[in-house]
Amino acid sequence: MSDPAELNSLLERHMAERPQATALVDGERRWSFADFDGLCARTAAWLAEQGIGPGDRVAVWLVNRVEWLALLFALARRGAAMMSVNTRFREAELAHVLERSQARLLVIQRRFRRIDFDTILDAIDGARFTRLERVAVLDAGAARPSHVLGKPAVAFDADALPAADDQAAHLASPEAPLIFFTTSGTTSGPKLVVHVQRNLALHARNVARALGFEGAGHGTLGAVPFCGTFGLTAALASLAAGVPVVPMQAFDAGDAAALVRRHALTHMFGTDDMLRHMLELDEAAAAMPTLKLAGFVLNEDLAQRALARGWPVAGLYGSSEVQALFSLQPPQLPLAERLLGGGLPCGAQAEVRARDVESGELLPPGATGELEIRSPTRFVGYLDNPEATAKVIRPDGFFRTGDIGRVRGDGSFVFETRTGDAIRLGGFLVSPVEIEAVIRQLPGVAEVQIVGVELQGQRRAAAFVVRRGGGDAAPTEAAVIEWVKARMAAFKVPARVWFVESYPVTHSANGDKIQRGKLREMAIERLAAEGGAA
C-alpha cells in the first residue's frame, strides 16, 4: 500500500473494492479504475525508459485527456514533477516556463482545433533550453517529426506503452514536488507555484468530502483545463471519491450541458465566462436535471439568471497557491450570501483571517481587510524564488493572498476584490465589485468594470460598461450615473462612464481574468484626451 499522502493512494481503495467502476469517460471510451491504474503504471514505466526519475521535471502541454492525468500519477510514482503548461500559451509564455522549470522532457500534441502547436514551436529557438533532452509527441503516427525544438522526438501512445515495471512505482515521496502551476502574471515573468504530493492528495480528499462528491450516482464534468488548479482539483477530488470524471478537451456550452444530461452528472465547475455562454442556450439545450452543485465565482446578474434556470449555483474561492475549491459558501446561508465568492474552507485545519491593509492590525469578524490563509494544503513556495516566497508567507505560516475580504463569525469568509483593485473613495476602502453589482442591475448593461481615477485632486470611480444590445434602449453615461446616485453613497458614484465592446484579459488555465491595470491605463488616457476636467 502507498503512503496515504502519496497521490496514487487516491486510487488504491477503489482498486481494492471496485476496480471495474468507471473512473473516466473520455469521448466514447470508458476507463475503469483498473484501466486507469494500469495506464498510470505503464506510463511510469515509459517515463523510466526516458530516464525520468526523482527530482526530474516534465513539461506537459496537452488539452484535457486521460493521458494528462496518467502522466501526473505516473510522475508521482517516479518522484518527478510536472510543469503544467496552459494550452493557450504561445511562444514567449512557453519559452518562459520551459526555461524556468528546467524540464528534461516536453510532452505535446501537434494540433488541436484552432491550436497549431507546430507553428508555435517552430518560432522558438530550442538551443536555449539546455536541460531539455527530448520531446514526446501524441497522436503523431507515421507523421511524427524526427526533431522538435531541435531535440529528438519520441512517440507517446497510450495504447502502445511498455509493460508496467514494478520498480517504476516505488520512487514516490509525499514531500516531493509534484506540480508547478503558473501564476496569472504577465508573459515576461509569471511565477511558478510549487505543490508537493501530500498537498494534492490531502486537498483532493478534503474537497471530495466537503463538496459531497462521494456516493453512488455522482459524477463530475471536467470542463475547466487540467493545466490549472481549478480543473485539476475537481478531477482529483472526483477520483478520490470514486466517481466518474468526464473531461472536455475544449469547452462548448451546448456540449457541456449535453454531457451532463448524457452521463447524469451531478457536479460541474467553471468560470463566469463559461456560465455566461451556458446562459445563452435555450431552455431545452441548457437542461441539466441531475445537477446538484455548480460552483462559480459569481457576479449577481449571472447568479440570478442561473438560479432562474434551476441550476444550484454557489460561490467559491481558490488560487494557485492555496489550490482551487479551497472553500464553498455553506448551503444554509441566505441566498444573497451563498452566491458571494469565498465560503467555508473544505479542510478542517484551514484558517482564514483578515488584516488591515494600512495599519497591519488583525481585524475582527465582519471587518474588511487583506485575507490571509494558513492550511496544510497550501503551496510550499515559488520555484527558485525565495524572495517572492518570503514576501507572501508570514513567519506563522499564513499566506498573504492579495485579496480583500471579510471573515464571518462561523469561520467562513467573503472575497470582495484583489488588494490592488480596491479603491479608497471618500476616505473609505471600497470594493469595485460593490459598485459593479449595482450598475449591472440597470437595464441594457451586460457587464461593467470599475477603476479608480484622479480628478481635480480627488480619487473617484470610473466605469467601463459593455452594453447589452443597442438602439434607443441602450444606457447613456448620464443614465448610469443617475442610477448609481439613486442607490449608493455619493462618493461611490462614477465620475466618468465609458462604453466599450470588450475588456483586455489575461488568459489563464483557470479562466480569463480582466486586466484592471490596463483599464486604469485606458482611463488615464481618456481623461488626458478630455483635458482631465471633472
Side-chain angles (χ1 to χ4, degrees), residues 48-72:
E49 286 187 351
Q50 306 306 314
I52 300 300
D56 287 330
R57 299 161 185 180
V58 175
V60 176
W61 198 26
L62 303 173
V63 298
N64 284 9
R65 49 193 297 169
V66 170
E67 293 93 336
W68 197 107
L69 292 170
L71 280 161
L72 181 69

Side-chain angles (χ1 to χ4, degrees), residues 128-143:
R128 62 194 287 190
F129 310 125
T130 56
R131 288 279 293 166
L132 187 64
E133 297 173 359
R134 59 183 61 87
V135 178
V137 184
L138 276 70
D139 305 332

Side-chain angles (χ1 to χ4, degrees), residues 436-517:
E436 291 163 0
V438 170
I439 296 177
R440 286 193 191 98
Q441 297 169 12
L442 174 63
V445 171
E447 189 52 82
V448 58
Q449 292 291 310
I450 294 290
V451 298
V453 297
E454 295 292 333
L455 282 172
Q456 296 183 344
Q458 288 186 316
R459 194 70 168 165
R460 300 290 302 277
F464 285 92
V465 173
V466 176
R467 292 184 175 106
R468 191 192 308 280
D472 295 338
T476 63
E477 179 179 27
V480 172
I481 291 172
E482 288 302 316
W483 180 269
V484 180
K485 188 180 294 185
R487 291 163 175 79
M488 304 191 82
F491 64 84
K492 298 179 184 178
V493 176
R496 287 287 187 276
V497 178
W498 296 297
F499 296 96
V500 294
E501 295 296 321
S502 61
Y503 301 119
V505 298
T506 296
H507 299 301
S508 87
N510 303 312
D512 293 343
K513 297 184 179 180
I514 295 172
Q515 297 178 332
R516 288 189 190 262

Side-chain angles (χ1 to χ4, degrees), residues 178-396:
L178 178 56
I179 194 165
F180 309 147
F181 294 119
T182 51
T183 59
S184 54
T186 63
T187 58
S188 62
K191 297 184 290 293
L192 303 186
V193 176
V194 182
H195 282 282
V196 300
Q197 286 206 43
R198 181 185 301 277
N199 294 10
L200 267 68
L202 176 58
H203 188 59
R205 292 188 175 96
N206 287 344
V207 172
R209 180 179 59 256
L211 272 62
F213 282 17
E214 297 175 317
H218 290 79
T220 302
L221 181 67
V224 185
F226 294 155
C227 56
T229 181
F230 199 0
L232 180 58
T233 296
L236 293 182
S238 299
L239 291 173
V243 301
V245 182
V246 180
M248 292 191 74
Q249 294 194 1
F251 178 77
D252 175 87
D255 291 346
L259 285 170
V260 171
R261 290 193 298 273
R262 177 182 177 186
H263 299 288
L265 301 179
T266 53
H267 292 72
M268 69 173 291
F269 303 91
T271 65
D272 279 3
D273 193 50
M274 289 180 176
L275 180 57
R276 188 175 288 107
H277 286 301
M278 296 193 75
L279 288 167
E280 293 172 356
L281 300 172
D282 63 38
E283 187 172 346
M288 296 183 287
T290 59
L291 203 60
K292 295 184 177 180
L293 175 64
F296 296 88
V297 179
L298 299 159
N299 70 49
E300 186 174 355
D301 174 63
L302 290 178
Q304 294 298 338
R305 291 167 61 194
L307 288 169
R309 286 283 179 95
W311 300 341
V313 294
L316 46 77
Y317 179 85
S319 71
S320 295
E321 288 87 350
V322 301
Q323 302 195 63
L325 302 179
F326 171 81
S327 62
L328 187 84
Q329 293 294 0
Q332 68 271 19
L333 288 176
L335 180 61
E337 290 288 306
R338 197 166 71 240
L339 299 178
L340 299 173
L344 190 68
C346 292
Q349 294 178 290
E351 303 170 73
V352 183
R353 67 190 186 190
R355 185 182 296 272
D356 189 281
V357 296
E358 294 182 346
S359 71
E361 297 295 321
L362 291 177
L363 297 169
T368 293
E370 181 184 3
L371 296 171
E372 298 181 349
I373 291 173
R374 182 164 62 187
S375 167
T377 61
R378 70 155 170 79
F379 78 131
V380 297
Y382 298 116
L383 182 66
D384 300 329
N385 198 339
E387 296 84 4
T389 302
K391 286 181 180 178
V392 299
I393 298 181
R394 293 190 175 276
D396 59 0

